[in-house]
Amino acid sequence: KAGVTQTPRYLIKTRGQQVTLSCSPISGHRSVSWYQQTPGQGLQFLFEYFSETQRNKGNFPGRFSGRQFSNSRSEMNVSTLELGDSALYLCASSLEIGLAGGDEQFFGPGTRLTVL
Amino acid sequence: AQSVAQPEDQVNVAEGNPLTVKCTYSVSGNPYLFWYVQYPNRGLQFLLKYITGDNLVKGSYGFEAEFNKSQTSFHLKKPSALVSDSALYFCAVRASGNNFNKFYFGSGTKLNVKP
């Protein structure tokens, strides 16, 4: 099976612009989560989607949003970009056939966003 | 509140020596515990997990971890370190019970294995 794919791999934007990142989960995986990784803050949870519904949300401002499509593919959007949004954005998917929550997440390679 | 702590930002070990990367957690109820590794400019790769059963779990690349409920710890270990093990390691926890519980990740520990 193909792994989690993220596009684009690299992005350069300027302050005030908006950006959309895309994630394709492993085939059959129903949950998709997004994380922001920075050297100073580590791995910060953004949100999680399951069956097109946002199931969990982290502590990020409303400029950060996401959605999941019926084929489980997900997008996240950041509007009015700030310099501090420069980071590696990681997408992760998990199978979750059962309901107990023990499935591990599989991560994509990330999208490196640089805001100038 | 649920959280994960990795008390060491960096661990240095000589090749061939045993290594330990520490992780402690706080979660309501029973935990599901995970270890991931990240190589430079890559996403995180799953190493191993504890769900239930035997407290010692074995994973990829010769790594293992021991779940200690009384100490709320899940330390990652390897009997003999390799230079290629040098990477960033993350511990994660999720409260068991249902899929609505979030994953919580530690801040990461950089492992340096010197030849």
Side-chain angles (χ1 to χ4, degrees):
Chain A
K1 279 186 179 179
V4 178
T5 58
Q6 292 186 245
T7 55
R9 292 293 310 278
Y10 301 92
L11 265 178
I12 300 176
K13 293 285 187 178
T14 56
R15 280 182 300 172
Q17 287 187 308
Q18 76 166 20
V19 66
T20 299
L21 312 182
S22 181
C23 171
S24 293
I26 292 172
S27 178
H29 284 197
R30 303 193 296 170
S31 168
V32 174
S33 296
W34 288 89
Y35 296 86
Q36 181 194 67
Q37 186 177 20
T38 58
Q41 297 296 318
L43 209 64
Q44 302 290 315
F45 171 75
L46 280 155
F47 25 66
E48 179 192 8
Y49 288 88
F50 181 84
S51 294
E52 302 178 66
T53 300
Q54 188 179 86
R55 188 161 71 178
N56 278 306
K57 189 177 188 305
N59 297 321
F60 278 81
R63 300 186 297 107
F64 291 81
S65 63
R67 59 179 176 168
Q68 186 181 33
F69 301 96
S70 58
N71 62 357
S72 292
R73 191 177 69 85
S74 177
E75 290 181 346
M76 67 163 281
N77 184 278
V78 187
S79 62
T80 319
L81 284 166
E82 301 178 359
L83 295 178
D85 296 333
S86 294
L88 180 67
Y89 289 87
L90 293 167
C91 168
S93 72
S94 58
L95 183 60
E96 299 197 6
I97 291 295
L99 296 175
D103 293 316
E104 62 272 23
Q105 293 183 317
F106 292 84
F107 284 78
T111 295
R112 173 75 62 184
L113 172 64
T114 302
V115 182
L116 303 175
Chain B
Q2 302 180 85
S3 63
V4 178
Q6 294 181 242
E8 301 155 318
D9 290 337
Q10 186 166 300
V11 170
N12 299 311
V13 64
E15 188 174 32
N17 283 359
L19 69 87
T20 298
V21 183
K22 295 180 180 178
C23 171
T24 59
Y25 66 90
S26 173
V27 68
S28 300
N30 294 319
Y32 291 149
L33 294 154
F34 306 82
W35 274 103
Y36 291 85
V37 59
Q38 185 178 34
Y39 297 100
N41 300 314
R42 303 277 295 275
L44 279 67
Q45 295 178 32
F46 169 72
L47 276 178
L48 51 80
K49 68 180 179 181
Y50 171 82
I51 303 300
T52 188
D54 194 348
N55 289 343
L56 183 66
V57 294
K58 295 185 183 296
S60 307
Y61 313 120
F63 284 94
E64 58 188 30
E66 186 165 13
F67 170 60
N68 187 317
K69 188 173 184 178
S70 62
Q71 298 186 3
T72 62
S73 67
F74 189 57
H75 300 332
L76 182 70
K77 300 181 180 183
K78 188 174 182 181
S80 179
L82 299 172
V83 172
S84 57
D85 293 330
S86 298
L88 188 58
Y89 291 80
F90 289 93
C91 180
V93 67
R94 190 184 203 186
S96 66
N98 63 68
N99 289 334
F100 288 85
N101 296 319
K102 290 190 287 189
F103 282 90
Y104 290 86
F105 280 81
S107 55
T109 298
K110 185 177 181 183
L111 175 65
N112 295 314
V113 182
K114 298 183 180 180

